[in-house]
């Protein structure tokens, strides 16, 4: 059985809170990459948060209420829901069914979760996207969110897309598997520990000699970019979708 649907003329797009509030260009780049593959993209205006902040803070009932709202917002059509975030996608695909395991709505929730796909994975494996690089030579490194790596398992898919770009040199981080210290509310509850973790991540990034760090999650990007900017480190952080869109247009 294929992991990806056979009919791919239409998809839903879940924008995520951070795309909406801080990185709209990254979100729009994801939509344009999908449309470039001949796919109609539907963006339900009723969508909001995936519920991860409540879930991670120990409020399962509140997280369930948010989850039900998202299921309803994406219920009109039975098509894939593409998410430009491994973290939000992991919440919706993995933790929604866990939250509703003993609930009467479990099967509706599970059917919704089965339609969740992370953007890079979907572009590469469902749509077979192949890109021609029109940009100047650049050295980049890749940071994966913890959820993208352990729950969605899409890290290698994102790096495969980057390796399609002829003028992009991808240098691996020595400690790629380590968290950047964001973790949503973790960075607020444990600022000193979070600060030490992002410093380790920055040291790893700088050691590669890359001029950009690419990631598929805006939360990690905000945390890493903010810390680097505060220290005057001239490494640009960019979402995978925005970077690819920029490269294929020169």
């Amino acid at each position: 059985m294929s992991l990806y649907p056979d009919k791919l003329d239409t998809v839903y797009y879940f924008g995520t809170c951070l795309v909406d509030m801080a990185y709209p260009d990254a979100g729009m780049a994801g939509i344009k990459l999908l449309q470039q593959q001949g796919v109609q993209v539907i963006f339900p205006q009723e969508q909001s948060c995936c519920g991860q902040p409540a879930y991670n803070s120990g409020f399962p009932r509140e997280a369930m209420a948010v989850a039900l709202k998202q299921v309803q917002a994406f219920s009109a059509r039975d098509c894939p829901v593409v998410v430009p975030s491994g973290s939000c996608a992991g919440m919706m695909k993995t933790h929604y069914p866990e939250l509703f395991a003993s609930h009467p709505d479990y099967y509706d929730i599970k059917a919704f979760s089965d339609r969740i796909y992370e953007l890079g994975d979907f572009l590469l494996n469902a749509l077979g996207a192949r890109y021609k690089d029109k940009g100047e030579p650049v050295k980049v490194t890749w940071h994966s969110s913890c959820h993208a790596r352990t729950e969605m398992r899409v890290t290698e898919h994102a790096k495969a897309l980057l390796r399609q770009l002829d003028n992009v040199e991808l240098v691996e981080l020595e400690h790629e598997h380590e968290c950047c210290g964001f973790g949503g509310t973790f960075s607020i509850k444990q600022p000193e520990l979070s600060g030490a973790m992002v410093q380790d991540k920055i040291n790893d990034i700088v050691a590669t000699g890359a001029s950009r760090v690419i990631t598929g999650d805006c939360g990690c990007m905000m945390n890493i970019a903010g810390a680097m900017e505060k220290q005057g480190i001239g490494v640009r952080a960019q979402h995978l979708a925005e970077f690819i869109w920029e490269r294929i247009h020169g």
Side-chain angles (χ1 to χ4, degrees), residues 2-66:
S2 173
L3 295 174
Y4 307 96
D6 295 328
K7 189 177 181 181
L8 287 171
D9 57 352
T10 305
V11 301
Y12 278 125
Y13 196 75
F14 181 81
T16 84
C17 301
L18 287 178
V19 161
D20 184 37
M21 294 185 293
Y23 298 105
D25 290 343
M28 288 305 302
I31 290 175
K32 289 185 285 189
L33 289 174
L34 290 166
Q35 291 173 330
Q36 186 191 47
Q37 298 298 315
V39 176
Q40 179 188 5
V41 180
I42 302 173
F43 187 93
Q45 294 298 319
E46 300 81 7
Q47 64 178 281
S48 59
C49 174
C50 68
Q52 190 172 177
Y55 177 77
N56 287 349
S57 299
F59 297 99
R61 284 190 298 181
E62 288 77 1
M64 291 171 69
V66 175

Side-chain angles (χ1 to χ4, degrees), residues 67-168:
L68 281 173
K69 292 287 187 183
Q70 307 322 305
V71 174
Q72 293 167 1
F74 292 86
S75 64
R77 300 185 64 160
D78 184 25
C79 58
V81 181
V82 182
V83 187
S85 162
S87 183
C88 298
M91 176 67 194
M92 300 167 93
K93 196 172 191 70
T94 302
H95 298 298
Y96 277 15
E98 292 175 354
L99 281 169
F100 287 84
S102 302
H103 193 277
D105 291 327
Y106 170 78
Y107 290 103
D108 290 339
I109 298 294
K110 183 64 169 61
F112 170 78
S113 296
D114 288 344
R115 293 193 283 130
I116 297 294
Y117 296 89
E118 187 273 340
L119 176 65
D121 172 29
F122 197 79
L123 288 169
L124 180 73
N125 297 313
L127 299 176
R130 298 293 181 269
Y131 295 117
K132 184 176 178 58
D133 191 4
K134 296 181 180 178
E136 297 294 322
V138 64
K139 180 188 289 188
V140 307
T141 190
W142 168 260
H143 166 75
S144 176
S145 76
C146 300
H147 298 278
R149 187 178 64 255
T150 61
E151 293 177 350
M152 298 304 291
R153 300 181 180 181
V154 294
T155 298
E156 293 306 317
H157 305 324
K159 290 194 286 189
L161 289 173
L162 291 174
R163 291 190 180 102
Q164 289 184 14
L165 304 170
D166 291 339
N167 293 325
V168 175

Side-chain angles (χ1 to χ4, degrees), residues 154-196:
V154 294
T155 298
E156 293 306 317
H157 305 324
K159 290 194 286 189
L161 289 173
L162 291 174
R163 291 190 180 102
Q164 289 184 14
L165 304 170
D166 291 339
N167 293 325
V168 175
E169 179 186 357
L170 174 61
V171 185
E172 307 273 359
L173 292 174
E174 184 175 355
H175 305 288
E176 181 183 306
H177 65 285
E178 293 184 2
C179 175
C180 73
F182 179 57
T185 55
F186 172 79
S187 62
I188 299 172
K189 295 175 180 175
Q190 302 286 346
E192 292 183 356
L193 184 56
S194 174

